[in-house]
Amino acid sequence: MNLKIYILILFVCTVLTSCKTEKKEIVAKTATTKELYEPNWESIKKHYKDPAWFNNKKFGIFIHWGAYSVPAFGSEWYPRNMYMDTAQFTAQLKLQRKGPSREFTHHQKTFGDQKSFGYKDFIPMFKGEKFNAAEWIDLFKKAGAKYVVPVADHHDGFAMYKSNTTRWNAFNMGPKKDILGELMKEGRAKGMIMGASSHYAFNWSFYNKKDHFDTTDPAYADLYSAKGKDINEPVSAAFKELWWKRTKDLIDNYQPDILWFDFMLDTPEWREYRPKLAAYYYNKGIEWGKEVVLQDKNFYEEAFPAGTVVYDLERGKLPGIRKLPWQTDTSVGKNSWSYVTNWKSKTANSLIDDLIDIVSKNGNLLLNVGPKSDGTIPEDQKEILLQMGAWLDMNGEAIYDTKYWRTFGEGPTKVGTGHHSEGKNKAFTGQDIRFTQKEGKIFAIMMEWPKNADVLIKSITKDDKISKVKMLGSDAKLKWSQSDKGLLVTMPKEKPGNFAFVLELTL
């Protein structure tokens, strides 16, 4: 090759390589410096739009696992209640009842005095020796879940990840593993959307402070909070700043697709931090090149204005369709979020019905499991998840990627609405039907097998002009007709499964 030509080619290649490198640097710099959102609601309302992907996923798994699973008594609030010796107080610091809590009495009988054996002493016992992130994620996928939200920071102050802001974390103590990090890595490798939850704002007033408890020992103030013995002491500026650093650490190092917050952040004391949080997280999403989901309960007040966050309801539902995406979070356990020895599981049937009812109203279900302290998920919880997964394998067409229809449903059974209302719910009947729609099809989902062979769906009018009716999971040819009264369908002789039954109606 001519030397001049060779030099020219070498020069062109060098320039092109340099341009590509410079372009990459410009793109990277733009991604890290672009801040569309400013920390005020006007800016956030102007630019924010609920991510469509979240609304399409419909079903996720919540995980409450921490040192509170070692005593396995009462609930995940054991670390709070074990220090309630003369009275019990609600999260709002109102008197709930006088006298020692059952956790206080149980702790003294089982573990000893709270001065010599405090909550901190459960942490070395919390080994998680059988924890296997791959097994957990495989189970959640089989359950039909599309996203996973492990608890990262609970009220107790023990971080379930490799924290840069507290020594009390699962990487340095207890399991000595980055639990959140391992789940994130395994979940993303297997196509799951991965989030994290923070309950840490309540840590300030979570523990009762008395001299005969270890909670007043300054050596443990970074676990039990620096709050004094005055139960009404306002949240300090130093604690809020610690919360902010801890939250940023979680965001920056794990890049959660979903960031879920518990109550207390929605109290007046935290108002200044909420738009700051939303702007920071949404700007990070832009930097990472993905749409992220921020969730809050708006429990005490409208902490995050409608249209700036995905609304979350704890153990409750909405009465009808909400056009903005929303979510119910509830537990497989009736009586606890974390594993306890007297855990009482709901049935797969009731949970599938909950999922259907919520999806028909444009919501998602975030369903919690409570692993044992050794890292195993109890067999009864596994079985329920697998039953749900089998139902979704057959009927998922009526759930995933669907939209709400013109009405969420029909039937006699009413549901409890609002936070903590699920205890009021009655079982659905064969006359209770819920609707979803997708790609020219309406799905009419019967919550139970009807008592009569013929089912009249009153919400389907003659104007809907149905061309085909079939039941998912069944090969039977169905007899059906439309009239002024609705759509009349004769059920197949055999049930395709044991839970809710889906009629696919083609328009």
Side-chain angles (χ1 to χ4, degrees), residues 471-485:
M471 179 167 283
L472 297 185
S474 173
D475 294 327
K477 292 185 178 180
L478 305 183
K479 294 181 180 180
W480 59 275
S481 62
Q482 282 184 276
S483 69
D484 293 335
K485 294 180 179 180

Side-chain angles (χ1 to χ4, degrees), residues 24-61:
K24 286 181 180 178
E25 289 174 350
I26 291 171
V27 169
K29 187 175 180 181
T30 301
T32 55
T33 59
K34 181 181 179 183
E35 292 189 353
L36 182 65
Y37 296 91
E38 297 176 4
N40 60 73
W41 294 126
E42 291 74 21
S43 172
I44 295 166
K45 286 178 182 178
K46 179 181 178 181
H47 298 294
Y48 177 78
K49 184 179 180 182
D50 291 309
W53 66 260
F54 178 77
N55 197 230
N56 290 332
K57 298 301 179 183
K58 306 301 182 187
F59 181 37
I61 295 292

Side-chain angles (χ1 to χ4, degrees), residues 381-406:
Q381 296 185 50
K382 281 185 182 179
E383 180 59 28
I384 287 165
L385 293 182
L386 292 174
Q387 287 178 29
M388 295 182 73
W391 185 88
L392 283 163
D393 281 344
M394 182 187 296
N395 300 287
E397 186 71 12
I399 300 295
Y400 304 122
D401 301 310
T402 59
K403 301 297 180 184
Y404 58 89
W405 194 49
R406 64 171 175 251

Side-chain angles (χ1 to χ4, degrees), residues 189-327:
K190 293 181 177 178
M192 300 288 269
I193 301 294
M194 298 303 298
S197 76
S198 173
H199 313 238
Y200 186 63
F202 186 35
N203 178 259
W204 172 256
S205 54
F206 188 61
Y207 293 98
N208 195 15
K209 303 293 184 71
K210 293 186 177 182
D211 289 334
H212 53 279
F213 299 148
D214 67 334
T215 53
T216 57
D217 190 330
Y220 309 118
D222 52 348
L223 177 67
Y224 299 137
S225 90
K227 181 182 179 181
K229 289 181 281 186
D230 179 4
I231 194 172
N232 295 307
E233 183 181 340
V235 183
S236 71
F239 182 81
K240 291 178 187 177
E241 189 58 27
L242 173 62
W243 172 89
W244 178 236
K245 289 179 180 177
R246 194 154 167 160
T247 301
K248 286 202 299 180
D249 181 37
L250 180 60
I251 293 171
D252 294 346
N253 289 303
Y254 295 92
Q255 300 187 10
D257 302 278
I258 301 168
L259 191 57
W260 185 100
F261 283 92
D262 206 350
F263 70 94
M264 203 54 70
L265 184 61
D266 49 18
T267 60
E269 290 181 296
W270 292 90
R271 282 176 183 165
E272 64 184 293
Y273 278 91
R274 296 192 295 247
K276 184 177 179 179
L277 164 66
Y280 185 82
Y281 183 48
Y282 293 151
N283 281 326
K284 279 293 179 180
I286 295 171
E287 179 183 322
W288 303 330
K290 62 183 181 182
E291 293 181 304
V292 294
V293 168
L294 181 62
Q295 295 189 301
D296 185 82
K297 296 178 179 179
N298 283 0
F299 189 78
Y300 290 94
E301 62 182 15
E302 191 183 45
F304 294 82
T308 66
V309 69
V310 173
Y311 177 54
D312 179 89
L313 266 168
E314 180 176 338
R315 289 191 183 270
K317 300 178 184 176
L318 293 179
I321 293 167
R322 182 180 192 261
K323 292 187 177 180
L324 290 174
W326 63 282
Q327 177 181 268

